[in-house]
Amino acid sequence: MKLIDLLADEVRASAAYNSNIQVAPSVILWTDKQCQWESALPLLQSAMPELVVLGDYAPEKKQGPAIWIKCVIERALPEFELPEDRTPIIYLPGLERRDLRAIAECPKALMPLAELQYRGCWWAYNSAGRDWTVTAFLSSANGGAGLDVARDENTHQAMLRVLPEVLESEQEDLANRRLEAADFNKLVSSDPVRDLLSWMNDSQAMQERWDTTRWQALLGICETEYHFSPERDGTLTAAELLCQRQGVWESVWQRFVESSHHYGNLPQLLLKVEPDLAADGSSYPVINQAEESALEQALSQLLTLGSAEVRKQIHALEKQHQDRRLWIWHSLGLSPLAGVLEHLAQLARLTDTAFSGTSLEEMGQQYRERYCEADDQLLRALAYPLTPSQQTLIQGLLAQMYTPWLDETTRTFQELVRQKGYAGTLVAKEATAEYQPTGELVFFVDGLRFDIARRLTQRLEHLGEVRLGHDWAALPSVTATAKAAVTPVHDRITGRADDKDFQPSLVESDTPFSSHYLKKFLAEKGWVYLSEGETGDPSTNAWVQSGDIDKEGHVRGLKLAARIDALLGEIVERVEELLAAGWRKIRIVTDHGWMLTPEPMAKVDLPKHLTETRWSRCALLKQSVASGFMQVSWYWNPQVSVAMAPGARSFVAGRHYDHGGLSLQECLTPVIELASQQPVTAASTVTASITDIRWLGLVCKVKAETNADTVVAVLRTHPADPDSEICTRKPLKDGKCSLMVDDQYEQTSAVLVLLDAQGNLLAKKPTLAGDE
C-alpha cells in the first residue's frame, strides 16, 4: 500500500463512530502547528477530494478563509461541491487544537470554525490532541506506517523536503530497515517515471518544490531516455509523446494507467493533445470525450422514439461504445455514459417482450430465473454516478423501456390472478414452514425484493451453504399485513372487518397486532427476540430484524438505488456476527417487495372519499362502493375486499416507490437459507450476557452472567474481527473483570465482546473507551 493511501485511510478512520450511541461527525479537523504537511497538499487533495484548506481565498485550490470553509461544508455553495459520501476534512496549517478550544479568546477569523470541534472530530496523535507530525505518522505502529525513522535533524529535514515522494512510496519498500537522510534523498531520483508524470501533472508546483539537483537530474533523464527537453518543449510535447506510446513511452503510459488516481490533473493536459487520424482512442482522452458527447446526443434523440425503436438503438449504441469501458478514461470516471449504457443494453434485452405463463408458478419461475434481472439492471442504471442532466436523460430512457414492460407484465400477472386465484392464499408459506425445534434463527429484512435478494445471496456464499427459495406475500403487500404472516406466531393473529390500515388483530381479542405482542408471543413459544447488538443462545430459536430497505425507499425514492449495496453490507455484517456467535442455520425472510419506476407512476382516479383506507397501490373501499378495479381478499379475512391499482399505476400522484399492489415485484418474495459450514463444537452450549459496563478513566469494569468459567472479555473496534482488539483479553471471575486500554484509544468507539474458549462470540455491547 502506498503511504498516501494509508494516510488517507487513517485520517478518514478518525470519523468512525458507533451509530448506536453517537451521531456522525460533521467534519474532521486536522491541525498542523508546524505546517509540516503543506508541501504535500496537492497530493493530499488528490487522494482526499473532501479535504479543504484554511488560508487565503483560492477556491480552485480548495482553499479559503473560515467563513468560506463553513459555507462549503454546509453545502451552501452550489458551485463548489465536496463528495457526498465522505466526511469533510479541514486542514488547519499553523494552528493547534487549543487555538480553537478557547472560543472566547479565539481570533475572529477562526470563530466560524470554533463550534465544529463539538460537531466534528480531530485527527490527533493521542487523547491529548497532539498534532500528527510527519515523523509521528511514519513511525507510529498505531495509526501510522510503523517505520523505523532516525530522529536526527538531517533525516528530519530530508524527510520533509521530499514528503510528497515519501507519501507516494510503497510502505513495504521502506519497511524492515532504519530510514536515514540518505534513504529519503534517494527517493528524489530513484523513480524517474514517477518524477516525469508528477511534473506533467503539475509542472509549476514540481519545479517550485524540487531542488536544483533533482530538477537537473530529470532534465538529463528526459534528454537521454525520453528524447525531449522539459524546458524547451514543455508539458504539451510530453503529453503528445505519452499519448503516442512509442518506445520507452509505453512504460510511462503503463505507469500512468496503474496509478492514474495520483495524477488528477494529467487527463486535463492530455485533453489538449490532438490525435492523428489513425490514433488509438484508448490513449487519447479527446477521442473519448468526443465519443461521450456523440453518445449523449444520440441518447437524447431517442427520447422521441417508441419503446421498440429505443431498444433497437440502444443495442446499436452499446455495440459501438462497449470497448470504451476498457479504456483508462472509463476507470477515471470520464466516460460515465459508456458505463451506464451497459445497464441500458441489458435492460433493453430483458424488456424486449413481456412474459406470461399458464399459471402463477410458471410466471413466477420465469421471473425468478430471468426477468427479475430487469429490475436489477434498472437499479444499477439509476445508481450510476452521472451529472444531474445525464441522470434526467437516463431516467427518461428507462421510463420508455422499463415502465411499459412493467405495466404490461403486471397486467398479465393480475389477469392470471383474476382467472386462477392468488398462490399466496392457496399454499403454506415457505417462510414459516418446517422450523427446526431448536437452533434456527429467522432474520427478517423489510422490503427485501427478489432481485436484491440475489445480490445478497452472492455476498453470503463465502459464509456457508446458501439456498434461495421463494414465497408469495400476503395481500395486500403492505408491511402490517405481510410481516405478520411470516412471523412464527402467525397462528395467534386474525383479521376482523373493522381492523384499520390492513393491520390484523389478536385471535383472543380485537387488539391490533404489534411488536409488543410479537415479542410476547415469541417468548411464549420459546423463541428469543434479539435486539440490535444481541447474538443470543444458538441452542434456542430466535427472531432478528434488521435492514432499512423499505424505509429508505419511502424516504429516498429513486435515490434508494444508490443505497442498495450499503444496506446489503449492513445485513451481511449482522449475519457474520450471528454466525460468529455459534448459530448454524439462518433463514432470511421478508414481507414484500416493491415497485420502483423511473418516472412517477401514472395516477388512476379513485376518490379518497370512496375509500376507508387508500394507499398508493391498494385501497379498502367503503361498503357497497363499486370501484371498477380488480379486487382481492385480505389475507387475514377473506370477507374483506381490497382494490388493486392496475398495472404499474398508482392511486396517489407523484410516487416513484411504493408497494401494496399486485405485481411480481411486490408479491414474489425471497426466502434465503444459510447453513454454516463451521463444525459444531461443545463450546456452542456456553452462554454469556453483559449486564454492566463502567469506565474509570481508561479502565473498563465489566459485569456479566455466564454458565462457564472459560469465558473471556475483550474490547474490539469490530466485534467479529480478532485483529481489531485494543486491549488484552481477560477471563471473567465471578462474572467480573477489568480491561485497560492505552490513552491512544481514548474516546474510540469500541465493542465489548465475550468469547468462549474457541473464540466464538457469545455477547457484545457497544461502548466508548474512557467514557465516564
Side-chain angles (χ1 to χ4, degrees):
M1 174 184 285
K2 287 183 180 292
L3 291 178
I4 182 62
D5 297 324
L6 175 64
L7 175 65
D9 289 345
E10 292 298 332
V11 175
R12 288 165 174 162
S14 61
Y17 69 103
N18 188 331
S19 60
N20 292 315
I21 58 175
Q22 297 173 299
V23 297
S26 301
V27 296
I28 300 170
L29 299 172
W30 178 353
T31 53
D32 181 12
K33 182 67 173 179
Q34 300 177 37
C35 302
Q36 289 192 356
W37 299 93
E38 268 193 316
S39 64
L41 272 177
L43 180 62
L44 295 173
Q45 290 183 314
S46 177
M48 295 176 281
E50 68 272 30
L51 188 148
V52 294
V53 181
L54 178 67
D56 295 331
Y57 182 67
E60 70 281 0
K61 297 181 180 180
K62 296 184 182 178
Q63 176 179 300
I67 190 62
W68 177 83
I69 290 178
K70 189 70 173 291
C71 293
V72 168
I73 65 171
E74 298 296 343
R75 306 191 187 281
L77 301 176
E79 71 279 8
F80 191 94
E81 296 184 359
L82 294 178
E84 293 187 2
D85 59 342
R86 297 289 189 186
T87 303
I89 303 169
I90 303 178
Y91 174 66
L92 303 167
L95 298 176
E96 55 188 336
R97 196 166 177 175
R98 61 185 177 184
D99 291 329
L100 292 180
R101 276 287 174 87
I103 296 180
E105 301 173 6
C106 182
K108 289 185 178 180
L110 293 179
M111 283 186 174
L113 301 181
E115 61 91 20
L116 292 177
Q117 63 187 300
Y118 304 109
R119 291 196 291 123
C121 60
W122 303 88
W123 186 51
Y125 182 62
N126 56 22
S127 59
R130 289 168 53 194
D131 290 347
W132 271 105
T133 64
V134 175
T135 299
F137 174 74
L138 294 181
S139 304
S140 176
N142 295 312
L147 302 175
D148 183 6
V149 180
R151 298 306 176 96
D152 61 277
E153 185 61 20
N154 287 339
T155 299
H156 180 71
Q157 293 301 324
M159 175 186 64
L160 294 182
R161 187 168 57 247
V162 298
L163 178 58
E165 288 72 27
V166 173
L167 294 177
E168 288 187 285
S169 300
E170 294 288 343
Q171 184 179 7
E172 63 181 10
D173 292 343
L174 300 178
N176 302 319
R177 58 194 172 99
R178 188 167 182 80
L179 299 172
E180 298 180 339
D183 298 290
F184 291 114
N185 287 329
K186 287 178 183 177
L187 296 176
V188 174
S189 58
S190 64
D191 194 342
V193 177
R194 182 192 62 198
D195 285 354
L196 176 56
L197 289 172
S198 297
W199 171 74
M200 293 174 65
N201 185 65
D202 193 337
S203 60
Q204 183 176 351
M206 293 303 100
Q207 288 182 246
E208 290 176 353
R209 195 178 77 215
W210 291 343
D211 57 28
T212 303
T213 301
R214 182 171 184 180
W215 175 239
Q216 292 300 320
L218 179 61
L219 292 178
I221 290 172
C222 289
E223 291 276 4
T224 58
E225 298 291 329
Y226 302 111
H227 312 298
F228 90 106
S229 169
E231 288 183 321
R232 295 192 302 271
D233 300 325
T235 55
L236 185 56
T237 298
E240 292 171 348
L241 294 168
L242 180 60
C243 291
Q244 291 168 4
R245 297 168 56 180
Q246 298 297 313
V248 295
W249 282 93
E250 176 63 26
S251 63
V252 182
W253 172 261
Q254 293 304 326
R255 172 67 73 85
F256 169 61
V257 170
E258 293 167 3
S259 55
S260 55
H261 62 288
H262 290 305
Y263 307 106
N265 298 328
L266 193 47
Q268 294 302 314
L269 171 64
L270 301 182
L271 273 171
K272 299 177 182 179
V273 177
E274 290 294 332
D276 298 330
L277 292 178
D280 178 4
S282 65
S283 58
Y284 285 89
V286 70
I287 293 179
N288 176 73
Q289 186 182 64
E291 291 289 308
E292 276 289 288
S293 297
L295 176 56
E296 184 165 5
Q297 184 177 4
L299 291 173
S300 299
Q301 292 172 351
L302 301 185
L303 293 174
T304 60
L305 304 179
S307 298
E309 186 61 24
V310 169
R311 294 188 182 97
K312 178 181 176 181
Q313 294 298 325
I314 288 291
H315 286 308
L317 290 169
E318 165 65 4
K319 186 176 181 180
Q320 178 183 347
H321 291 275
Q322 60 184 354
D323 288 346
R324 288 201 294 118
R325 291 195 289 272
L326 303 176
W327 296 358
I328 180 61
W329 319 119
H330 179 63
S331 65
L332 291 174
L334 299 178
S335 51
L337 291 177
V340 76
L341 184 59
E342 179 180 15
H343 303 302
L344 294 180
Q346 293 285 0
L347 187 71
R349 175 180 58 84
L350 292 162
T351 61
D352 189 48
T353 56
F355 64 100
S356 60
T358 59
S359 67
L360 258 67
E361 189 54 45
E362 180 183 346
M363 196 169 183
Q365 181 178 358
Q366 293 183 63
Y367 177 74
R368 297 193 308 272
E369 295 178 355
R370 174 177 170 83
Y371 292 102
C372 72
E373 179 66 18
D375 298 323
D376 189 63
Q377 293 298 326
L378 173 83
L379 293 178
R380 294 182 188 276
L382 289 172
Y384 211 88
L386 303 168
T387 66
S389 63
Q390 290 173 337
Q391 288 175 346
T392 301
L393 169 60
I394 297 305
Q395 288 169 21
L397 294 171
L398 291 171
Q400 287 179 288
M401 294 188 292
Y402 178 78
T403 305
W405 171 85
L406 177 65
D407 187 72
E408 184 178 352
T409 299
T410 301
R411 289 179 185 274
T412 301
F413 177 72
Q414 291 175 343
E415 181 58 30
L416 203 55
V417 173
R418 189 193 303 273
Q419 295 174 7
K420 301 192 174 184
Y422 180 64
T425 61
L426 301 177
V427 297
K429 299 187 71 59
E430 182 178 340
T432 56
E434 301 179 0
Y435 285 128
Q436 294 179 355
T438 59
E440 181 162 2
L441 183 141
V442 179
F443 192 135
F444 173 79
V445 180
D446 194 359
L448 182 65
R449 198 169 71 170
F450 200 89
D451 57 312
I452 305 305
R454 293 207 312 175
R455 287 199 212 181
L456 178 59
T457 299
Q458 294 173 354
R459 298 179 65 165
L460 293 172
E461 287 177 347
H462 72 286
L463 297 175
E465 182 181 347
V466 184
R467 185 182 78 87
L468 175 59
H470 75 281
D471 205 347
W472 295 93
L475 295 183
S477 53
V478 297
T479 299
T481 285
K483 179 180 178 180
V486 299
T487 65
V489 299
H490 58 90
D491 56 327
R492 304 286 299 272
I493 309 167
T494 189
R496 294 179 169 81
D498 57 351
D499 286 339
K500 302 297 185 182
D501 294 327
F502 304 119
Q503 184 173 13
S505 51
L506 310 184
V507 170
E508 60 264 31
S509 71
D510 61 358
T511 304
F513 179 65
S514 64
S515 60
H516 167 77
Y517 289 103
L518 171 61
K519 297 175 183 178
K520 180 176 183 292
F521 294 160
L522 283 172
E524 292 175 1
K525 195 172 182 176
W527 285 55
V528 178
Y529 182 100
L530 298 180
S531 299
E532 186 67 32
E534 296 179 338
T535 53
D537 178 4
S539 66
T540 63
N541 280 359
W543 172 276
V544 169
Q545 54 190 51
S546 186
D548 295 320
I549 298 174
D550 187 41
K551 177 182 176 182
E552 296 253 355
H554 286 296
V555 172
R556 295 178 179 269
L558 288 180
K559 293 183 178 180
L560 168 66
R563 288 278 299 146
I564 291 296
D565 286 332
L567 293 170
L568 294 183
E570 294 173 2
I571 296 170
V572 172
E573 182 178 354
R574 183 69 164 125
V575 169
E576 290 174 338
E577 292 176 3
L578 295 166
L579 292 177
W583 291 95
R584 290 294 173 265
K585 183 176 180 181
I586 297 177
R587 186 184 307 213
I588 300 176
V589 303
T590 191
D591 46 359
H592 57 73
W594 31 271
M595 187 173 282
L596 184 72
T597 55
E599 293 181 346
M601 301 177 199
K603 183 180 182 297
V604 289
D605 189 33
L606 178 61
K608 192 172 183 179
H609 68 271
L610 300 179
T611 64
E612 295 287 353
T613 297
R614 186 186 70 171
W615 294 43
S616 172
R617 296 278 297 149
C618 61
L620 180 63
L621 301 175
K622 291 184 176 179
Q623 192 171 7
S624 303
V625 170
S627 68
F629 297 108
M630 180 180 180
Q631 294 183 217
V632 299
S633 297
W634 185 28
Y635 178 86
W636 293 105
N637 187 338
Q639 303 305 313
V640 177
S641 186
V642 183
M644 292 285 164
R649 296 174 178 254
S650 170
F651 293 134
V652 180
R655 297 295 178 87
H656 287 279
Y657 172 97
D658 225 316
H659 55 88
L662 191 61
S663 70
L664 287 162
Q665 285 75 10
E666 295 162 287
C667 297
L668 185 67
T669 55
V671 180
I672 301 175
E673 294 184 355
L674 171 62
S676 173
Q677 298 299 302
Q678 299 179 9
V680 179
T681 65
S684 63
T685 60
V686 175
T687 62
S689 62
I690 300 168
T691 58
D692 188 41
I693 299 177
R694 299 197 180 193
W695 285 91
L696 296 177
L698 295 176
V699 177
C700 180
K701 298 287 187 178
V702 179
K703 289 185 179 180
E705 294 180 355
T706 178
N707 63 354
D709 58 5
T710 57
V711 175
V712 298
V714 70
L715 290 161
R716 295 173 173 174
T717 55
H718 297 90
D721 183 7
D723 293 334
S724 69
E725 294 179 3
I726 61 174
C727 70
T728 303
R729 297 183 181 187
K730 293 289 185 68
L732 293 176
K733 294 183 179 180
D734 298 326
K736 300 178 182 179
C737 74
S738 297
L739 303 173
M740 180 177 293
V741 299
D742 292 337
D743 59 0
Q744 62 180 304
Y745 296 114
E746 186 176 2
Q747 299 302 303
T748 296
S749 296
V751 183
L752 172 66
V753 298
L754 303 182
L755 308 171
D756 65 13
Q758 283 71 39
N760 297 311
L761 193 151
L762 304 175
K764 68 184 183 71
K765 193 170 186 178
T767 185
L768 193 65
D771 186 22
E772 299 180 358

